Amino acid sequence: MTVSETRAPRHLRSALFVDFDNVYIGLTRLDAEAAEAFATDPGHWLAELAHGSGTDGEITRRFLVLACYLNPSVYSRYRPNFTRAGFQVVDCPSLTQQGKSSADINLVLDAVDALAARTRYDEFVIVSADADFTPLAQRCRADDRRVTIITASPAASAYRAVADQVIGADALADLVSPSVTPLDQPPVAPVVVPPAAAPAARTAELPAQRSTEPEPDVAAAVLATSDARARKAVLRTVRRADRPMTLGAVAQVALDADPALGGTGWAGAGGFAAWLARAVPEVAVSTRPPGHVWDPQRFGEADLPGAVADADPTALQRQVIAVTDTPGLSQRHYRVLLETLAKDVAAHPFDRQTTTRRVYEACQSAGAMVGRSTVNFVLSGVLYTGLSLDARPGVGPIASAWADNVVGLCRGARMDLTAGDVTAIRTWVTGGLLD
């Protein structure tokens, strides 16, 4: 297959619906600057969404519908920003004494109308922190439409089975903020984690693949032409993923962007891992089966599935981990994490990025294999309950907020929990700190 025969990006006719109040409040709890960027410069993140990639290849979007639903009595100051960006802004004032607006029902009604419209929309993009939109996603999928969910809540796991793509809170914060790391930055040294305790045959396999490097001029020509598209697609996908991705999934992204790679022995590299090391050195790779790829700026080896467990989980813990994405730490490691977090916010002003880094490094120094994504997940859960870490709460309130978040995720996933189950979950995820 020649370069001219490679698959072009898919062009999608998309309809985008924004539950403004929900997203703005959710982002504010996690990252106030990202929330302001979301509200004041929708044109920026809309342009970012216009080009993307996923497991089904590289895509470009033409937004035929741009709808934003907000409460004018609270957020009217942001209306001009969305109007200027081409959105139809739908006023959804509070209709109850509790202050709840009609944004969600208006959004659902308009989306269902769009499903029945004469224009066929290839994709429905739902921007909300509310997991209640799962039935809408299922309805869109049943009508053979692509579904992308962008959420500012820790409930992203609830959407994974019903959406083609989920952009979680951290990826959303990156999306709405001004880009500081261009996709085609100069290559940096790759991070490769070799297989741990892998069979001898597999250990010998990777060096053999790497030994087939093409001549420098050939490699330069390859990188300058066909697999440049694959490099861009892989970088975009890995940097927007909310967890390390399997090697197979990332390989499919590369092949969707440039099918010619499969017929050329990965452009002469001999294998996908070797191609990654040469063409996309910015990502980190573990060849421990099944193999994973991740953004080393956000994750580490401790974030790999199964990497942090130091005890066999109970059946209840396994179910919680499976349906809510709650990190599978042992009770002992959860205690270390929460105590470290409490000590850090007591000693330093809270800043999400620097606090995450310090807590991660302190956990590593204490011998607890807690990954960056785990620290970030717990921080997001604590903040989403409304607890302010700027107020320097002690370990008790932090542990209680984190437990409330996990139990809330379980109930949102429709787990049937007994009182004993709730107690067991709270004891586990707080490291016994509330006993």
Side-chain angles (χ1 to χ4, degrees):
M1 183 178 296
T2 65
V3 173
S4 62
E5 296 172 323
T6 60
R7 188 186 307 175
R10 293 176 59 200
H11 299 283
L12 300 179
R13 292 176 294 180
S14 302
L16 183 145
F17 304 90
V18 179
D19 185 353
F20 178 88
D21 302 23
N22 202 300
V23 175
Y24 183 79
I25 293 171
L27 267 181
T28 299
R29 290 171 176 169
L30 304 178
D31 188 330
E33 291 184 2
E36 283 303 304
F38 164 77
T40 58
D41 193 6
H44 166 74
W45 53 263
L46 198 61
E48 290 290 315
L49 284 174
H51 304 277
S53 61
T55 56
D56 51 353
E58 192 164 359
I59 58 176
T60 61
R61 294 182 173 96
R62 182 185 178 206
F63 291 105
L64 303 184
V65 173
L66 292 172
C68 175
Y69 306 81
L70 60 75
N71 185 339
S73 62
V74 182
Y75 299 114
S76 61
R77 66 188 183 278
Y78 296 121
R79 180 206 304 272
N81 303 329
F82 282 80
T83 301
R84 183 179 58 193
F87 281 82
Q88 175 191 6
V89 179
V90 181
D91 287 342
C92 301
S94 299
L95 302 177
T96 68
Q97 292 182 347
Q98 291 76 28
K100 180 174 176 57
S101 75
S102 58
D104 50 0
I105 187 63
N106 277 293
L107 189 157
V108 170
L109 288 172
D110 287 349
V112 172
D113 284 346
L115 276 174
R118 293 177 61 182
T119 300
R120 178 178 174 83
Y121 302 103
D122 303 312
E123 178 188 45
F124 283 70
V125 182
I126 304 168
V127 187
S128 175
D130 195 340
D132 290 346
F133 288 110
T134 298
L136 175 59
Q138 292 172 323
R139 177 67 182 82
C140 293
R141 287 286 294 273
D143 206 40
D144 193 23
R145 313 298 175 92
R146 193 178 193 276
V147 178
T148 294
I149 300 290
I150 303 175
T151 176
S153 82
S157 58
Y159 287 120
R160 296 192 197 285
V162 298
D164 296 277
Q165 183 177 10
V166 176
I167 298 176
D170 294 325
L172 174 58
D174 292 339
L175 183 71
V176 302
S177 301
S179 177
V180 295
T181 310
L183 289 178
D184 294 318
Q185 64 184 1
V188 297
V191 179
V192 179
V193 180
R202 285 192 63 90
T203 307
E205 179 183 353
L206 191 56
Q209 293 175 344
R210 293 179 184 273
S211 66
T212 59
E213 288 284 342
E215 292 300 319
D217 57 336
V218 177
V222 169
L223 284 175
T225 54
S226 63
D227 64 346
R229 290 188 299 277
R231 163 187 157 77
K232 184 176 180 180
V234 166
L235 268 179
R236 180 181 289 112
T237 301
V238 172
R239 284 177 174 168
R240 290 185 176 177
D242 60 356
R243 64 185 66 196
M245 300 179 64
T246 62
L247 271 172
V250 180
Q252 188 60 53
V253 169
L255 288 173
D256 285 336
D258 183 4
L261 286 172
T264 60
W266 291 99
F272 178 58
W275 178 84
L276 269 180
R278 188 188 68 194
V280 200
E282 297 89 343
V283 302
V285 182
S286 172
T287 54
R288 182 171 62 243
H292 288 87
V293 184
W294 65 92
D295 178 2
Q297 300 300 317
R298 295 184 296 132
F299 306 119
E301 188 180 2
D303 296 305
L304 301 184
V308 297
D310 62 341
D312 290 332
T314 66
L316 176 61
Q317 290 170 1
R318 282 196 295 270
Q319 185 180 19
V320 172
I321 294 167
V323 302
T324 69
D325 287 338
T326 295
L329 296 184
S330 67
Q331 182 173 319
R332 180 173 68 89
H333 281 177
Y334 265 126
R335 188 182 189 105
V336 172
L337 171 53
L338 293 170
E339 289 177 338
T340 303
L341 175 58
K343 290 178 182 177
D344 188 89
V345 297
H348 305 281
F350 174 68
D351 174 80
R352 181 160 182 171
Q353 287 188 338
T354 56
T355 299
T356 298
R357 188 191 72 248
R358 285 193 302 263
V359 172
Y360 162 73
E361 292 172 350
C363 287
Q364 296 293 305
S365 298
M369 292 297 291
V370 177
R372 271 193 188 88
S373 65
T374 296
V375 177
N376 210 31
F377 192 98
V378 173
L379 264 177
S380 297
V382 170
L383 293 171
Y384 199 71
T385 64
L387 182 68
S388 172
L389 295 180
D390 292 316
R392 300 185 176 184
V395 69
I398 290 176
S400 181
W402 166 236
D404 290 344
N405 176 75
V406 174
V407 173
L409 290 175
C410 293
R411 296 197 188 284
R414 304 299 187 265
M415 285 182 62
D416 188 11
L417 300 177
T418 65
D421 290 337
V422 172
T423 299
I425 291 171
R426 293 179 69 88
T427 299
W428 164 44
V429 299
T430 63
L433 288 167
L434 300 183
D435 292 347

